[in-house]
Amino acid sequence: MRLLIVGGTGFLGGELARRALAAGHTVAATFMTRPGATPGVAWSPLDVRDREAVAELVGTLAPDVVVNTAYRKPDWTATADGAAHVALAVAAAGGRLVHVSSDAVFSGEAVTYAEDSVPDPVSPYGAAKAAAEVAVRAIAPGAVVVRTSLIVGDGRSGHESFVRALATGRRQGVLFTDDVRCPVHVEDLAAALLELAGSDRRGIHHVAGADAVSRYELGCLVARRDGLDPARLARGRRADTDVPGPLDVRLDCTATQQVLRTRLRGAREFLR
């Protein structure tokens, strides 16, 4: 495939680029401030908030598949409007779209969410991701929308860095015991995205880890893996703070796992 990764310098985008190149695909990717370091990738600057720039790049490159991993949590225009701009460009140029969404589209009231569950976000970021899903599905009905959860893996994620900083005393903070997600390994997620990109699947797919764990339990798993003392991690309850967003959100990935070769491991397995 000729693959374009929008947001290629991010944690997920970088892993996706490496995996796609290893599989023999031709890979182009976009960056916001500076190109990534992955050799073999054709890098292009792009601000997804600029509709004309998105259309020009996609039209020029004419990729077989566009995977949109781009978002900015505090920026509605980048997260919601940007997704619409990418979908419009892909629809005009032809090709296939895989859009990466989030479990933040749910409130947590139902706890477990299947792929046909209706979004009910309770945070600005969740609302932006939900709006992006609506735009993508309306503009590009053949697109795949992949909802995922907290992305970790091999010590390179922001959460893992934060845990190490807490455990070594370089930062202060707490890990919530009531903030529950289904963390996914970045390698599993990237592999699943490539599978879906090369398939004829369409619509909503859930791609998250097999284990539901709290931020605190996840932190303890990371600390033990890295030879650090979990007892140094302070715990707290998100419900006792004014931090916006859902508490317990668990993506039911049963239907998607049945069509994937990639096995979606749980955090208790991949952080052993």
Side-chain angles (χ1 to χ4, degrees):
M1 293 182 293
R2 288 174 293 114
L3 187 71
L4 171 61
I5 303 168
V6 178
T9 55
F11 181 43
L12 173 58
E15 178 61 32
L16 183 60
R18 286 187 289 273
R19 184 168 290 268
L21 286 168
H25 302 300
T26 300
V27 180
T30 73
F31 64 91
M32 184 69 173
T33 55
R34 63 180 64 88
T38 306
V41 175
W43 293 99
S44 297
L46 183 68
D47 185 340
V48 294
R49 296 171 296 184
D50 186 335
R51 177 175 170 174
E52 292 183 359
V54 175
E56 181 178 358
L57 180 65
V58 174
T60 299
L61 295 179
D64 299 313
V65 181
V66 175
V67 182
N68 183 17
T69 71
Y71 73 94
R72 295 178 70 184
K73 275 195 173 182
D75 190 336
W76 175 283
T77 305
T79 302
D81 292 9
H85 296 161
V86 173
L88 285 165
V90 174
R96 181 163 170 76
L97 173 62
V98 178
H99 173 79
V100 180
S101 188
S102 167
D103 57 10
V105 302
F106 297 119
S107 70
E109 183 176 346
V111 179
T112 302
Y113 293 88
E115 286 147 340
D116 59 356
S117 299
V118 177
D120 59 343
V122 292
S123 70
Y125 172 64
K129 293 299 278 187
E133 287 188 7
V134 172
V136 167
R137 298 184 72 192
I139 296 166
V144 176
V145 175
V146 175
R147 293 185 186 130
T148 192
S149 190
L150 187 63
I151 307 172
V152 296
D154 297 339
R156 293 178 287 124
S157 69
H159 184 80
E160 291 164 283
S161 297
F162 181 58
V163 168
R164 286 193 295 272
L166 292 178
T168 55
R170 290 182 287 112
R171 289 188 65 176
Q172 299 297 314
V174 300
L175 296 173
F176 297 129
T177 58
D178 59 346
D179 188 335
V180 177
R181 297 294 186 273
C182 296
V184 64
H185 198 291
V186 66
E187 293 178 359
D188 296 349
L189 177 54
L193 289 173
L194 280 178
E195 271 197 66
L196 292 168
S199 74
D200 60 357
R201 306 291 300 180
R202 59 191 293 172
I204 302 290
H205 289 70
H206 284 181
V207 180
D211 297 333
V213 299
S214 70
R215 296 267 184 169
Y216 176 73
E217 182 183 355
L218 182 62
C220 291
L221 290 169
V222 170
R224 291 191 188 99
R225 181 203 62 189
D226 293 348
L228 301 171
D229 185 2
R232 299 198 62 182
L233 301 176
R235 71 182 79 183
R237 283 176 13 103
R238 186 170 179 171
D240 297 331
T241 74
D242 58 358
V243 177
L247 293 177
D248 194 338
V249 178
R250 310 179 187 202
L251 296 181
D252 181 351
C253 304
T254 304
T256 296
Q257 181 64 95
Q258 290 175 347
V259 302
L260 288 177
R261 297 186 304 275
T262 301
R263 188 169 67 87
L264 302 174
R265 297 168 292 167
R268 297 186 186 98
E269 177 182 349
F270 64 70
L271 289 173
R272 284 186 303 197

